[in-house]
Amino acid sequence: VTSGSASWVSMSLGDPERRTTNAMPYPGDINEELQRDVKHEYAFAQFAATVLTLSESPTMAFMPLMPIQLAPFLLTLVRKGKCGART
């Protein structure tokens, strides 16, 4: 129910061109194929981090917490021009 609700809100109110890595400004020397690869790796890392949170080990469950929280924060900083995509 929660996932369905989130999907509905995203489709109703969200802009598919301004979500997470879709709005990420890539440097000029990064071609479309490399951008697609980066987005694929980012999605895989997010999926892997989510799977780790389901681990029975408390250490393994909390290990991906920092990257999961840090990634959207850094994307926000880039979007607002506070840091660059290469930093």
Side-chain angles (χ1 to χ4, degrees), residues 1-74:
V1 173
T2 303
S3 180
S5 299
S7 293
W8 179 80
V9 169
S10 292
M11 294 301 285
S12 300
L13 303 175
D15 180 358
E17 296 303 317
R18 297 202 45 150
R19 289 185 196 146
T20 61
T21 58
N22 290 341
M24 179 75 174
Y26 289 92
D29 60 332
I30 305 294
N31 61 29
E32 292 282 328
E33 183 179 354
L34 187 54
Q35 287 182 29
R36 201 171 36 253
D37 290 345
V38 168
K39 290 176 185 181
H40 181 267
E41 290 297 322
Y42 181 80
F44 178 77
Q46 288 287 342
F47 180 75
T50 302
V51 168
L52 275 175
T53 63
L54 302 175
S55 170
E56 291 183 21
S57 166
T59 301
M60 292 299 285
F62 282 98
M63 199 165 59
L65 185 64
M66 180 67 96
I68 287 174
Q69 295 296 318
L70 192 59
F73 176 67
L74 290 174

